[in-house]
Amino acid sequence: MIYCYDQQALPGAFKCFTVYPLVMHIPADPTVETCHTFHILCACVLTIPSRTQTSLSPMLLLSVLAAVFGNFQVGYHSGNMNAPQQVIENFFNTTWQANYNVSLTTSQMTILWAVTVSSKDFGGIVGALGVKGLADTFGRRNSILIANALSVVSGSLMSLSQLCGSLGLIITGRLVFGLFCGLCMSLIPLYIQEVSPTALRGAFTIMSHVSFSLGILVGMVMSLEEVLGNAQFWPLMLSLSVIPAVLQYLTLPFCPESPRYLLINRGQEEEAEAALRKLWGNSWDILTEINEMREEASQTQSKVTLRDFLSLRRYLNPISIIVAITLGAQLSGFNAILNYSTDIFTKAGFSQSQFLTLGTGVINVLFTVVSVLLVERVGRRKLLLTGFMVGALCNILLTVSEATMRCIPGMSYLQVLLVFSSISAYELGPGPISWFIAAELFDQSARPFGMAFTCMLNWGGKFLCSLLYPPLLNLMGAYVYLIFTAALCCAFTFTFFQLPETKGRTFDEIASEFRQANRVVLLKELQKDFRTFN
C-alpha cells in the first residue's frame, strides 16, 4: 500500500498499479527527482495492474445472483409453453365452447395460440418504455424490485385461469409478465454492468443470460406431461415463476445500489465509495474506479432527453450498431426454433419430440456457459462474428434438409443436428451479448435509453418471430430459413466494419471514441484488434 500526503498529486501512471507493501511520503507538488525515485522503487517491487486485483467478494456474488433471479423467471416462461400446447389448446376450446356454444375452428385456434405466445413479447416492447424513468428515478436496484411485482401479479393471474374458466386470464397474465420482461431484461444487465469490475463485466453480465437459459430448461422440464404439463397441473406450472420472484425480494434489498448511479446521477460520492467497498472489498481498484467515474461524469451531459438520444452525433453510431446486432440476433431463427421445436421435430418424424425439445434446452444452457468462459478471453466482437457466421450456415443447411427430407433418408437426423447447432451459435455470442452491449457503448446519462432501446428491439424481434413464423412456414415452406440467413449476413457485415472491441475497457474509454465524430474512431494501435476477425 502507498501512503501519500496528497493522493490527487500522484501521477496518472502510478494510479494504475497496486504495489506490495511500500511506505513512502510524496509531497503535494512532487519534483521530477521525486517522481523518478518513485518510478525506480516501483520497478524494484512486484507491480500488477490493479484491475486484475479486485477480489470476488461475497457481496458482489450475492448482488449478481440476486439480480439474475429476474432473468430466470423470463426464461421459465419462454420455455414452458411449447410442450403443453395441446393441453392448453384443449382448455381454450372447452372454455370457448362453454361460453359461446361453439368450438374453435383450426384457423381460430392457430391465431389464438399465436396471440397467447406472442403477448409476452408484445408486453416486453411496452415495458421497455419505462426503463429510463424507473432507472433514473428510483435507481437500478430499486427499479428491479419494483418491476418484480409485475411477475408476482402475472403468476397469480395465470394460476387462476382454470379455476375461473377464463382463457383471458392466461393472455392477460402473459401480457403483464411481458411488461416485467421489458423492464427486467434492461434493468438487470444495467445493474450488473455498473457493480462489476471492468475485467469481469462481460462475464458477470452474461450470467444473467445463463440464468435465462436455465429458466428455459426448467420451464421445459416442468411443462412435460409427466411432470406438470398435463390437464390437471398446468395452472400450477404457469405460476411457479412466483418462487424466484419471492427469492429476489428476500435477497436483493440487502445488496448495494449501483455506485455509478450514486456518483454520476446523484452526485453522492461518499455513498458511491461505500457501495464500491461493500461490493469489491478494500483494494486500490476503488480509487481507480472513483477517478474513472469522476472523469466520465465530467464528460457526460447531465440530462439526456429522448430527442438528444436520437439526434446527438455521438449516439448515432452506437444506435446503428445496436440495431444491427439486436435484429441480427432476434431474426436469426432462434426464437422460431425455440418456440416451435416440438412441432419441427414431430414433422421430422420423431415420436418423442418433447425430449428432443428438452435437448435444445440443455444445449442452450451449455453454450451460454461457454460464452461466459470466453467473453473476457476472446472478446465480444469475435464471439458475435462467429455466432452470426455459424448461424447463417446452419439456416442454409436447414433449408436444404427441410426441402429434401422426404427424398433423402437420414435428413431428419441432420435437421436435429442443425437445430442444435443453430441454438449453439446463438448462445455463443449473439444471444447474450445483444442484451448487454448497449450498456458498454453509451455514457451514463444515455445508458438507460440505450438499454431500453435494445430491449424494445429484442422483444420486437421475438414478437415478430413468434407471430409470423407459422404463417411464413405455411407460405414459404423450407425457404423461410433464408430470411433468417439474410438477417445474419447483414448483422455479420455491419458488426465486422463498425463494432469496436469493448473487452477490458472502461465505460469512459469506450464512450470517448463516440464523442469524436459520427462513426467509431478507432485508435491506430488497436486497429488490428478492432478490424480483423483473427
Side-chain angles (χ1 to χ4, degrees):
M1 195 67 173
I2 300 171
Y3 296 90
C4 61
Y5 177 77
D6 184 357
Q7 212 152 33
Q8 298 300 318
L10 280 172
F14 298 156
K15 296 177 184 178
C16 300
F17 293 94
T18 299
V19 183
Y20 281 95
L22 173 66
V23 179
M24 184 173 182
H25 178 85
I26 298 180
D29 185 19
T31 63
V32 174
E33 289 79 12
T34 304
C35 292
H36 181 66
T37 303
F38 182 80
H39 183 73
I40 293 174
L41 286 170
C42 286
C44 295
V45 296
L46 179 61
T47 61
I48 303 175
S50 65
R51 288 175 190 167
T52 66
Q53 291 298 301
T54 304
S55 58
L56 292 177
S57 70
M59 181 55 70
L60 177 59
L61 295 176
L62 176 63
S63 299
V64 174
L65 177 64
V68 301
F69 277 129
N71 299 87
F72 184 90
Q73 298 171 62
V74 178
Y76 181 80
H77 280 290
S78 298
N80 66 2
M81 292 294 283
N82 199 335
Q85 177 177 348
Q86 189 62 51
V87 174
I88 299 177
E89 283 183 345
N90 289 339
F91 167 73
F92 282 179
N93 196 44
T94 302
T95 304
W96 191 274
Q97 194 170 21
N99 292 334
Y100 303 104
N101 295 320
V102 63
S103 298
L104 288 166
T105 65
T106 303
S107 60
Q108 287 175 328
M109 182 63 75
T110 300
I111 294 172
L112 185 59
W113 183 253
V115 170
T116 303
V117 172
S118 61
S119 60
K120 173 176 70 69
D121 302 330
F122 179 76
I125 301 172
V126 178
L129 297 174
V131 171
K132 171 69 174 176
L134 272 179
D136 285 350
T137 303
F138 299 101
R140 284 41 168 159
R141 182 200 61 184
N142 293 338
S143 296
I144 295 171
L145 293 171
I146 292 171
N148 201 35
L150 292 171
S151 176
V152 177
V153 172
S154 169
S156 302
L157 288 174
M158 288 187 285
S159 68
L160 295 172
S161 56
Q162 188 179 49
L163 182 64
C164 298
S166 171
L167 57 87
L169 283 179
I170 297 180
I171 298 174
T172 304
R174 282 184 65 82
L175 183 63
V176 172
F177 189 79
L179 298 176
F180 163 75
C181 294
L183 291 169
C184 89
M185 291 297 279
S186 292
L187 293 169
I188 292 172
L190 185 61
Y191 176 72
I192 295 175
Q193 287 249 328
E194 293 187 2
V195 302
S196 300
T198 300
L200 298 172
R201 191 175 63 216
F204 273 0
T205 308
I206 292 183
M207 287 302 296
S208 64
H209 208 77
V210 172
S211 180
F212 174 75
S213 300
L214 280 172
I216 292 176
L217 179 59
V218 172
M220 288 177 173
V221 172
M222 291 299 172
S223 64
L224 291 174
E225 186 178 1
E226 294 80 2
V227 187
L228 295 177
N230 49 57
Q232 183 178 1
F233 293 114
W234 65 263
L236 175 61
M237 180 268 295
L238 292 179
S239 65
L240 287 181
S241 59
V242 172
I243 296 175
V246 172
L247 289 175
Q248 188 169 70
Y249 276 129
L250 294 176
T251 53
L252 192 58
F254 299 99
C255 302
E257 180 54 87
S258 159
R260 305 188 77 83
Y261 170 78
L262 293 173
L263 192 150
I264 300 176
N265 291 77
R266 293 298 184 189
Q268 300 172 354
E269 186 168 323
E270 291 184 3
E271 289 83 351
E273 184 173 346
L276 270 178
R277 293 191 183 280
K278 194 174 181 180
L279 286 162
W280 295 5
N282 293 315
S283 75
W284 187 258
D285 285 305
I286 292 173
L287 296 177
T288 305
E289 185 71 9
I290 290 292
N291 287 334
E292 189 267 320
M293 285 192 282
R294 287 178 188 150
E295 179 65 23
E296 183 178 349
S298 68
Q299 299 288 340
T300 300
Q301 186 173 330
S302 58
K303 185 178 181 181
V304 174
T305 64
L306 179 60
R307 182 177 179 180
D308 294 334
F309 180 75
L310 296 175
S311 62
L312 290 180
R313 292 191 302 170
R314 66 175 177 270
Y315 298 141
L316 293 181
N317 202 57
I319 288 173
S320 63
I321 291 172
I322 289 170
V323 170
I325 292 175
T326 305
L327 291 185
Q330 297 309 324
L331 300 180
S332 65
F334 170 82
N335 295 295
I337 290 172
L338 191 68
N339 288 329
Y340 299 98
S341 56
T342 301
D343 189 50
I344 292 172
F345 294 139
T346 300
K347 289 180 179 178
F350 294 97
S351 57
Q352 300 295 323
S353 56
Q354 69 270 25
F355 294 108
L356 287 173
T357 297
L358 193 61
T360 63
V362 174
I363 295 293
N364 199 29
V365 174
L366 288 177
F367 274 85
T368 309
V369 173
V370 170
S371 183
V372 172
L373 299 176
L374 293 179
V375 69
E376 294 298 350
R377 295 173 179 266
V378 178
R380 284 64 155 161
R381 265 179 57 85
K382 291 180 181 178
L383 289 181
L384 281 170
L385 291 170
T386 301
F388 287 142
M389 183 173 62
V390 175
L393 179 62
C394 288
N395 276 297
I396 292 173
L397 294 176
L398 274 170
T399 303
V400 175
S401 66
E402 181 87 15
T404 60
M405 188 178 300
R406 304 190 191 286
C407 306
I408 303 176
M411 273 295 175
S412 57
Y413 296 100
L414 175 62
Q415 190 173 37
V416 172
L417 178 62
L418 290 171
V419 166
F420 287 173
S421 299
S422 181
I423 291 172
S424 304
Y426 175 85
E427 293 297 0
L428 186 64
I433 295 174
S434 66
W435 282 101
F436 77 81
I437 191 67
E440 298 186 328
L441 299 180
F442 292 99
D443 56 32
Q444 184 74 11
S445 297
R447 195 168 293 132
F449 270 133
M451 292 301 294
F453 185 62
T454 297
C455 195
M456 289 180 65
L457 289 173
N458 270 302
W459 288 112
K462 288 177 181 293
F463 175 72
L464 288 175
C465 276
S466 299
L467 195 62
L468 299 180
Y469 176 73
L472 282 175
L473 183 63
N474 292 334
L475 179 66
M476 301 177 63
Y479 300 101
V480 69
Y481 296 107
L482 295 180
I483 298 177
F484 304 142
T485 304
L488 286 164
C489 289
C490 291
F492 178 93
T493 303
F494 199 92
T495 302
F496 184 84
F497 286 107
Q498 293 296 322
L499 178 68
E501 181 56 75
T502 59
K503 178 190 72 172
R505 306 175 69 197
T506 66
F507 288 116
D508 187 58
E509 288 171 350
I510 299 166
S512 65
E513 293 199 9
F514 296 108
R515 297 188 195 114
Q516 306 301 321
N518 282 329
R519 62 186 180 84
V520 179
V521 179
L522 299 176
L523 300 177
K524 185 176 180 180
E525 62 271 22
L526 297 176
Q527 191 169 3
K528 180 180 178 181
D529 289 337
F530 287 177
R531 292 295 191 186
T532 66
F533 183 56
N534 297 321

